[in-house]
Structures are given as C-alpha cells and as structure tokens.
Amino acid sequence: VAERLMTIAYESGVNLFDTAEVYAAGKYAPVCIWGRGYIEGVVWGAETERGLSRKHIIEGLKGSLQRLQLEYVDVVFANRPDSNTPMEEIVRAMTHVINQGMAMYWGTSRWSAMEIMEAYSVARQFNMIPPVCEQAEYHLFQREKVEVQLPELYHKIGVGAMTWSPLACGIISGKYGNGVPESSRASLKCYQWLKEKIISEEGRKQQTKLKDLSPIAERLGCTLPQLAVAWCLRNEGVSSVLLGCSNPEQLIENLGAIQVLPKMTSHVVNEIDNILRNKPYSKKDYRS
C-alpha cells in the first residue's frame, strides 16, 4: 500500500515526503520505495521525547539516512525544544548536519514564534544557519498560529510554513457528520481523545459548520476535503501542505485540491469565513 501511495504521489507531481523517528514506532516505509528515484525532497523530524541534544540530532539523522539509504534529506526538523537543551546547542547541531552534507536546510516543528526568533537570533549572533520553515497544524478550525503569529516571521526573516493535518485528523472529511463510524480512526481505543472531541458540544458545532460549507464545495465542483486542502494552500505563507493518506482513493481525492486552488477567490474565502466565524485578527487587521 505504501509503495502504491508513493507511486501515485510521485506520478502526480509530488516531490516532497515527510518522515520522522516516531512515525510507525520507528518503522519506515520499505527502503525499496525510497531507493527507486522517487524522492526529490525528503524532510525528517527529530524526536522530542529523546531530547534535542547535539548527540541525538546528529546520531539520529545518521541512523535514519542509513536505514532509508539516502545520502541526505532536504530539510531536517526539530520538534519543540525541551528545557534542558540550550538553544545554541540545537542551532549548532543543525548547522553541523548541514555543513556535513546530511541536510540542505533545517526547520522547526510546533515551535512558538518566540522560540523561532530566538533560534534565528542565536544563528545570526554566532554566524550559524537559521531555520527556514516551521511545521504547524493548520486547518479550518485551527488558524491562530499560521494566520497571526507566523506571518510576522514570514515577512521579517523569511520563515515559511509547512502545515499538517489539513483535515483535522479526519474531522473535516465529513465522515463524522452522523456520529463515529465503527471503521473510522476515532473508533480505535488509542484515539479515544478524538472520539471525545467529535462528540463534544464544540465537535457538534464543527460538524454543523461543515454541513454549511458543503454547498460551497458543490458549487466549486469539489469535495469538502478538497475544499479544505485548497483553503490551506491559498495562504501566502504556506509553502506546502502535508497530507496523510491510508488508501489510493483518499490520496487521489486530496491531490485534486490543486485544481480547486484557482477557484479560491477572495469572495469564496469570505463566504467560508462567514460560516466558520473563527477568523483570528492580527494587529494589522485591527489597525485597518
């Protein structure tokens, strides 16, 4: 299944794949997939639970490159820093793996704007390499960070956003409109938190809003998931949207969002905002 998914993605023009130590408990997609010339861009994430020390970042990336049979990754990401590791050590470690040819750039994942700015300042102070990208959750119901906090960094120091969970763990797919199906992710014991979120009062309100968004998707000739992914892509600070798919049909549907993107006019976006009623307001919005 993994090989089929990656083949479809590659043939559809996708040239960036995301992997990390924690995905599938450290078990990566079959090495043969990575070794067939499918990959032009790979991003890799260091596991926060084991710390972001220089030793872990360097040894972790070396081990992953060996398992994946890759000479380097395009971007190496660091999950949110722990309080025990100085920022200078993290920046020096990332600068080292880039200087050694193990990565081309480095980025952050789930860092606050203040932490990203600190890393940038440390890099500039000691003539090291600053982060270029932040991995952040972004979807119709999660907007504050990408739309208010990151734009300042985007315009000031050029940090872009690589967003994840465009369908909010499947909530925006529409399959939870009438409860939690037995075959869904939310029905699994390990996803009890997701089930509770869906059946909560806020979760029911979200499903009502999704039903109100359906006529817009129908008018644009797309599905609700395609509308949601295109909505994420239309943000100027979003460099790419990471998709998680479990079957070919889902992947093909999500990739169709590219065709919807040109239809995301300011009028359509305003229609969506009027339904969601959760648009965060930045200082710029307030002054205007």
Side-chain angles (χ1 to χ4, degrees):
V1 174
E3 184 167 359
R4 176 64 179 148
L5 288 172
M6 293 189 70
T7 300
I8 293 172
Y10 180 78
E11 291 178 348
S12 300
V14 174
N15 61 4
L16 185 145
F17 295 85
D18 178 42
T19 186
E21 292 174 293
V22 294
Y23 292 174
K27 298 178 181 179
Y28 298 91
V31 173
C32 64
I33 297 176
W34 303 101
R36 291 185 179 178
Y38 286 178
I39 310 301
E40 292 179 28
V42 180
V43 299
W44 176 85
E47 180 184 352
T48 304
E49 286 73 14
R50 292 176 57 191
L52 287 174
S53 66
R54 177 184 174 93
K55 176 180 174 64
H56 173 60
I57 290 173
I58 295 173
E59 290 186 349
L61 181 53
K62 276 185 177 179
S64 294
L65 290 175
Q66 290 176 352
R67 285 191 292 274
L68 294 172
Q69 296 183 9
L70 293 172
E71 294 182 2
Y72 66 91
V73 292
D74 286 79
V75 188
V76 55
F77 281 90
N79 279 351
R80 190 156 194 186
D82 57 276
S83 58
N84 299 320
T85 309
M87 184 63 73
E88 183 181 342
E89 181 174 349
I90 298 173
V91 179
R92 285 193 182 279
M94 291 301 188
T95 299
H96 175 79
V97 298
I98 291 174
N99 288 337
Q100 293 298 309
M102 291 187 282
M104 295 296 182
Y105 306 92
W106 78 278
T108 58
S109 179
R110 296 183 297 177
W111 285 30
S112 68
M114 185 177 298
E115 289 167 337
I116 297 171
M117 200 66 216
E118 181 186 356
Y120 179 84
S121 299
V122 168
R124 286 291 176 251
Q125 180 181 358
F126 297 105
N127 195 30
M128 295 186 291
I129 302 173
V132 299
C133 191
E134 157 69 5
Q135 276 195 4
E137 182 179 5
Y138 184 49
H139 50 74
L140 295 171
F141 302 123
Q142 182 71 272
R143 307 176 59 172
E144 180 75 23
K145 183 174 184 178
V146 173
E147 295 185 13
V148 176
Q149 299 174 24
L150 294 185
E152 288 196 30
L153 297 179
Y154 173 72
H155 291 292
K156 288 181 179 178
I157 61 177
V159 171
M162 183 179 292
T163 64
W164 48 275
S165 196
L167 301 183
C169 293
I171 290 176
I172 301 175
S173 66
K175 61 184 174 185
Y176 297 117
N178 297 312
V180 180
E182 292 185 5
S183 59
S184 67
R185 183 191 312 183
S187 66
L188 302 176
K189 288 185 178 179
C190 58
Y191 281 95
Q192 181 64 28
W193 60 270
L194 180 59
K195 181 178 181 179
E196 292 174 357
K197 186 175 182 179
I198 293 170
I199 63 178
S200 68
E201 182 179 354
E202 180 62 26
R204 291 194 295 271
K205 289 181 180 178
Q206 290 178 349
Q207 290 302 318
T208 298
K209 291 180 179 179
L210 292 176
K211 289 179 180 178
D212 292 338
L213 287 174
S214 294
I216 297 178
E218 292 176 7
R219 193 176 75 240
L220 298 181
C222 67
T223 64
L224 189 57
Q226 289 173 334
L227 179 70
V229 175
W231 180 88
C232 293
L233 285 169
R234 110 277 175 215
N235 187 303
E236 68 165 352
V238 174
S239 303
S240 60
V241 173
L242 297 175
L243 302 172
C245 301
S246 56
N247 59 69
E249 293 74 24
Q250 183 185 13
L251 175 58
I252 292 171
E253 178 185 2
N254 289 348
L255 290 175
I258 294 294
Q259 309 301 323
V260 183
L261 185 57
K263 303 176 183 178
M264 297 297 292
T265 63
S266 57
H267 176 70
V268 171
V269 173
N270 287 335
E271 278 190 280
I272 294 174
D273 282 337
N274 289 335
I275 292 174
L276 295 177
R277 297 187 178 280
N278 64 354
K279 182 180 179 180
Y281 289 93
S282 64
K283 293 179 181 178
K284 182 178 180 181
D285 292 328
Y286 180 79
R287 286 196 298 266
S288 61

